[in-house]
C-alpha cells in the first residue's frame, strides 16, 4: 500500500501543475470561438463569443460576390510581461480565426452593423423589405 509522506507530495504536485505541459499542444494552438446565429422577422444575427478580445482584433469584410468575411487575430508574445508580472505558466493565448458566410440575396447589405460588448461580437444582417405580391391583369395590345 502506498502511503503519502508529509511534505513529499505537495511540492511534486505544484511542480507538475506549473512546469509540466500536461495539456496537448493541439488544443491550445487553435482559437475557435463559439457562435450563435438567430433569425427574427427583420434580421439575422450572428453572435461570436470572444472574451478578452476588442473590436480592433476583428475585421469584417463584405465582398462583391455577397460573401461576409470575418477575421480575428490577437498577437501575444509568450514572454509578455504585464503589470511587472513574470508568468510561470501562461495558457491564455490567441491565434487567428477566419470564417466566411455566403449571404442570401434577401440581406440589405448596406445596413449590416457590428457591435462589440461584454466579450461578444454581434453582427446584425437586416433583411430587405419584401414587396407585396400584386395580382393584376395585363392588357393585351
Amino acid at each position: 500500500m502506498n502511503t503519502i509522506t508529509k511534505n513529499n507530495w505537495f511540492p511534486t504536485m505544484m511542480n507538475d501543475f506549473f512546469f509540466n505541459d500536461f495539456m496537448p499542444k493541439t488544443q491550445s494552438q487553435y482559437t475557435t470561438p463559439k457562435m450563435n446565429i438567430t433569425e427574427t422577422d427583420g434580421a439575422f444575427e450572428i453572435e461570436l463569443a470572444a472574451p478578452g478580445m476588442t473590436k480592433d482584433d476583428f475585421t469584417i469584410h463584405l465582398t462583391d460576390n455577397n460573401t461576409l468575411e470575418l477575421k480575428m487575430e490577437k498577437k501575444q508574445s509568450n514572454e509578455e510581461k504585464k503589470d511587472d508580472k513574470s508568468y510561470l505558466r501562461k495558457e491564455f493565448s490567441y491565434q487567428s480565426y477566419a470564417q466566411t458566410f455566403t449571404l442570401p440575396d434577401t440581406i440589405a447589405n448596406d445596413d449590416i452593423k457590428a457591435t462589440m460588448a461584454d466579450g461578444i461580437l454581434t453582427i446584425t444582417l437586416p433583411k430587405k423589405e419584401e414587396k407585396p405580391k400584386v395580382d393584376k391583369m395585363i392588357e393585351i395590345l
Side-chain angles (χ1 to χ4, degrees):
M1 179 163 159
N2 248 352
T3 59
I4 298 174
T5 59
K6 189 176 183 181
N7 299 330
N8 214 8
W9 64 272
F10 188 71
T12 303
M13 182 182 73
M14 295 306 285
N15 281 337
D16 286 347
F17 183 74
F18 285 114
F19 300 112
N20 288 343
D21 230 356
F22 58 86
M23 292 295 286
K25 288 289 185 196
T26 54
Q27 289 183 1
S28 63
Q29 287 179 354
Y30 304 103
T31 302
T32 306
K34 302 295 182 190
M35 181 182 313
N36 294 331
I37 301 176
T38 58
E39 180 181 9
T40 63
D41 289 339
F44 291 98
E45 196 168 82
I46 301 171
E47 296 174 321
L48 193 77
M53 306 299 272
T54 66
K55 66 179 186 175
D56 297 329
D57 298 325
F58 290 93
T59 56
I60 302 171
H61 179 244
L62 181 63
T63 65
D64 57 357
N65 62 349
N66 230 23
T67 301
L68 187 73
E69 296 176 346
L70 173 62
K71 294 181 183 179
M72 174 185 80
E73 184 173 10
K74 183 168 191 128
K75 296 178 184 175
Q76 288 183 338
S77 142
N78 286 340
E79 300 174 6
E80 178 181 331
K81 288 186 176 184
K82 187 174 184 179
D83 302 327
D84 295 326
K85 291 180 185 177
S86 179
Y87 291 95
L88 297 175
R89 181 179 191 93
K90 186 172 182 186
E91 293 183 352
F92 292 0
S93 66
Y94 298 94
Q95 301 293 323
S96 61
Y97 164 80
Q99 186 159 1
T100 58
F101 301 91
T102 302
L103 301 181
D105 293 334
T106 58
I107 299 297
N109 291 345
D110 294 335
D111 298 325
I112 295 174
K113 295 193 181 350
T115 58
M116 181 78 181
D118 299 328
I120 298 178
L121 174 69
T122 303
I123 304 169
T124 305
L125 307 165
K127 295 178 183 178
K128 292 179 183 174
E129 289 185 31
E130 290 186 23
K131 296 179 182 175
K133 294 180 181 177
V134 178
D135 189 15
K136 68 177 189 174
M137 295 294 289
I138 308 296
E139 183 182 339
I140 301 173
L141 303 174

